[in-house]
Amino acid sequence: MVGEEKMVLRNRVTKTSEIPEKDEDQRNLTKESLETYRNGRLDIKQLIAKKRQLTAEAEELKPLFLKEVGSHFDDFVTNLIEKSASLDNGGYALTTFSILEEMKNNHRAKDLRAPPEQGKIFISRRSLLDELFEVDHIRTIYHMFIALLIIFILSTSVVDYLDEGRLVPEFNLMSYAFGKFSTVIWTWWLMFLSTLSIPYFLFQHWAKGYSKSSHRFISTLIHGFIFIVFQLGILGFVPTYIALTYSLPPASRFVVILEQIRMVMKAHSFVRENVPRVLNAAKEKSSTVPIPTVNQYLYFLFAPTLIYRDSYPRTPTVRWGYVAMQFIQVFGCLFYVYYIFERLCAPLFRNIKQEPFSARVLVLCVFNSILPGVLILFLSFFAFLHCWLNAFAEMLRFGDRMFYKDWWNSTSYSNYYRTWNVVVHDWLYYYAYKDLLWFFSKKFKSAAMLAVFALSAIVHEYALAVCLSYFYPVLFVLFMFFGMAFNFIVNDSRKRPIWNIMMWASLFLGHGVILCFYSQEWYARQHCPLKNPTFLDYVRPRSWTCRYVF
């Protein structure tokens, strides 16, 4: 009671002391207002000037404030998601004490390598462009591309009417590029059924007999050899043989080869993720063998990811209108690319082929190819990494839609490689880079990175060589030498906007070089065919020596 009375008295004293201060503040305000009123227009102009100055300063601070808050908020949310998703990782909670205990044990046993990390964590999230398109300013860029497509259609129609007297487009180039599509369909079914059956039942047979076998190493070696034969000999050779034997056109070959590479990567991920689970179950002498069901493997074969999991985050419903819109945009991008080739590429190379090969022709070709090359880059990204993958994700209710990140904001090539195609990057990171570090040693990080670059460059060049029917390693040189050098020189320490400009300039120039060189070689082989070509003729550039005959 005595304490409460003291508190009441203190509150009264503070209140009475605050009253004179408030009175003084009110007097000062009225005095300032009177002075302002007495001075008239002069004080009003000063107030307006001060207000404008404060507004200008606020506008200058606003983007910096939003950028700072946005970066901190993104980092906070990302760290929060990773921490919350890793709380139940492997059946136990990851606490500070468990991590310290693990580090302590690793320090005691330096000769034992730590296993690779648990892998990618899938969470429900939307694609970045879906979120950005809700902003009117960003969606206007999308509208600009649609307007450009309309201009291409109109220009092609006008030229066809003036030159040939017809208004209905024939789409000869597209019908040729996707010719013999029935062969593509039955080839895809062969690849799909073999990928569905052979890796799954081969793994199931090995997993069921591994714990009971007295010769585990020999059994694992035999099953592993059969799997490698399937990957390289059946899935790796047969589709390529069909594409070359049946003389499929370029776009049809492109579909077959991309599906071949995708299924090879899917089968590897399925085996790579499930073999350690069987080994751990046998080590712990568990009575149950962790073998995924056929439905889980079948879902993975169609899911827009190359990392196998027994289950993924799922959305509650399927928005069929969204699926239809994504497929419409894919077909729209195909016609867009057709009109780019029709209006920008064909006239360019039709004129170039009339001149002999020289440095002047090459330089003009590269710079004239930059615009169509960049447009094809944007359309390929939007059609496949956004529309196509989101369509399948929506149909399968696949929750994690981070197929790419904001690669357009990259200030370094290392960040660009990580964010351009997250689906393929995850596979290379976990199954190539991380496994190489685990198998050899963490000291060989540069060698592991070089191996990953070499693998990616070889696969890209293999796809182009099969699709175009000739070997011209322009992409391999750009990817392996310039791309590798830029990865180390223009690294993550570069944060200034000038490096983003440099990255875009090099991307523009690189795609101009790719489109120019491969198109020149294509036209040279069309107009300078050989009667009995040898193997060296498929490797030797024809555009350097061809002289066109008209």
Side-chain angles (χ1 to χ4, degrees), residues 74 76-87 119-127 131 299 304-305 307 309 311-315 390 393 397-403 405 422 426 430:
D74 289 342
F76 172 75
V77 172
T78 303
N79 293 331
L80 183 63
I81 290 171
E82 291 177 353
K83 289 179 181 179
S84 62
S86 62
L87 285 177
K120 180 180 175 66
I121 298 173
F122 290 88
I123 59 175
S124 293
R125 47 192 164 185
R126 299 170 63 193
S127 289
E131 296 178 348
Y299 180 88
T305 180
I307 307 295
R309 295 289 183 270
S311 61
Y312 299 93
R314 306 287 291 274
T315 56
N390 269 294
R397 294 170 43 221
F398 187 82
D400 196 338
R401 314 237 174 134
M402 193 184 69
F403 309 125
K405 297 179 183 178
V422 174
D426 287 340
Y430 289 110

Side-chain angles (χ1 to χ4, degrees), residues 2 20 78 108 180 210 278 291 341 358 368 475 507 511 543:
V2 176
T78 303
R108 289 176 181 175
K180 301 181 180 180
Y210 180 79
V278 176
I291 300 176
F341 275 103
S358 64
N368 289 329
L475 181 62
L507 277 179
H511 283 83
S543 58

Side-chain angles (χ1 to χ4, degrees), residues 29-41:
L29 288 172
T30 53
K31 189 182 291 185
E32 289 177 359
S33 62
L34 286 173
E35 289 178 357
T36 304
Y37 179 75
R38 288 170 185 171
N39 291 332
R41 294 180 181 176

Side-chain angles (χ1 to χ4, degrees), residues 20-203:
E21 292 178 358
K22 289 183 179 179
D23 291 340
E24 290 181 3
D25 292 339
Q26 290 178 357
R27 289 172 186 172
N28 292 331
L29 288 172
T30 53
K31 189 182 291 185
E32 289 177 359
S33 62
L34 286 173
E35 289 178 357
T36 304
Y37 179 75
R38 288 170 185 171
N39 291 332
R41 294 180 181 176
L42 183 61
D43 291 334
I44 292 174
K45 290 181 179 179
Q46 290 179 354
L47 289 173
I48 293 173
K50 288 181 179 179
K51 185 177 180 181
R52 287 178 178 175
Q53 184 181 358
L54 290 174
T55 305
E57 292 177 356
E59 288 294 332
E60 291 178 359
L61 290 174
K62 184 170 69 172
L64 298 175
F65 176 76
L66 291 175
K67 183 178 180 180
E68 191 71 19
V69 172
S71 62
H72 285 296
F73 181 74
D74 289 342
D75 294 340
F76 172 75
V77 172
T78 303
N79 293 331
L80 183 63
I81 290 171
E82 291 177 353
K83 289 179 181 179
S84 62
S86 62
L87 285 177
D88 190 13
N89 192 358
Y92 63 93
L94 292 178
T95 62
T96 306
F97 298 103
S98 63
I99 293 172
L100 290 173
E101 186 67 24
E102 184 180 356
M103 291 173 63
K104 188 176 180 181
N105 294 332
N106 291 337
H107 180 71
R108 289 176 181 175
K110 291 183 179 179
D111 56 328
L112 299 177
R113 295 193 195 96
E117 61 184 75
Q118 295 296 324
K120 180 180 175 66
I121 298 173
F122 290 88
I123 59 175
S124 293
R125 47 192 164 185
R126 299 170 63 193
S127 289
L128 185 56
L129 284 183
D130 281 340
E131 296 178 348
L132 291 177
F133 282 157
E134 294 179 358
V135 181
D136 293 336
H137 302 288
I138 303 299
R139 192 161 187 83
T140 300
I141 301 176
Y142 173 77
H143 296 160
M144 292 165 62
F145 274 88
I146 296 176
L148 187 60
L149 174 61
I150 295 172
I151 296 299
F152 277 132
I153 295 173
L154 289 176
S155 64
T156 304
S157 301
V158 170
V159 171
D160 289 343
Y161 179 75
L162 294 176
D163 293 345
E164 302 179 14
R166 58 180 174 84
L167 288 174
V168 180
E170 293 183 350
F171 298 109
N172 293 328
L173 181 62
M174 185 171 291
S175 60
Y176 159 73
F178 287 95
K180 301 181 180 180
F181 210 73
S182 58
T183 306
V184 175
I185 293 174
W186 65 258
T187 304
W188 183 87
W189 274 107
L190 285 178
M191 290 191 294
F192 171 71
L193 292 176
S194 62
T195 306
L196 177 63
S197 57
I198 296 177
Y200 181 80
F201 291 111
L202 187 67
F203 168 77

Side-chain angles (χ1 to χ4, degrees), residues 375-387:
L375 289 175
I376 293 171
L377 167 69
F378 291 153
L379 292 171
S380 303
F381 159 74
F382 183 71
F384 179 71
L385 290 176
H386 180 74
C387 298

Side-chain angles (χ1 to χ4, degrees), residues 275-296:
V275 165
R277 298 168 60 187
V278 176
L279 296 177
N280 291 332
K283 185 178 180 180
E284 296 172 359
K285 297 181 180 180
S286 176
S287 58
T288 59
V289 181
I291 300 176
T293 63
V294 178
N295 290 333
Q296 289 173 328

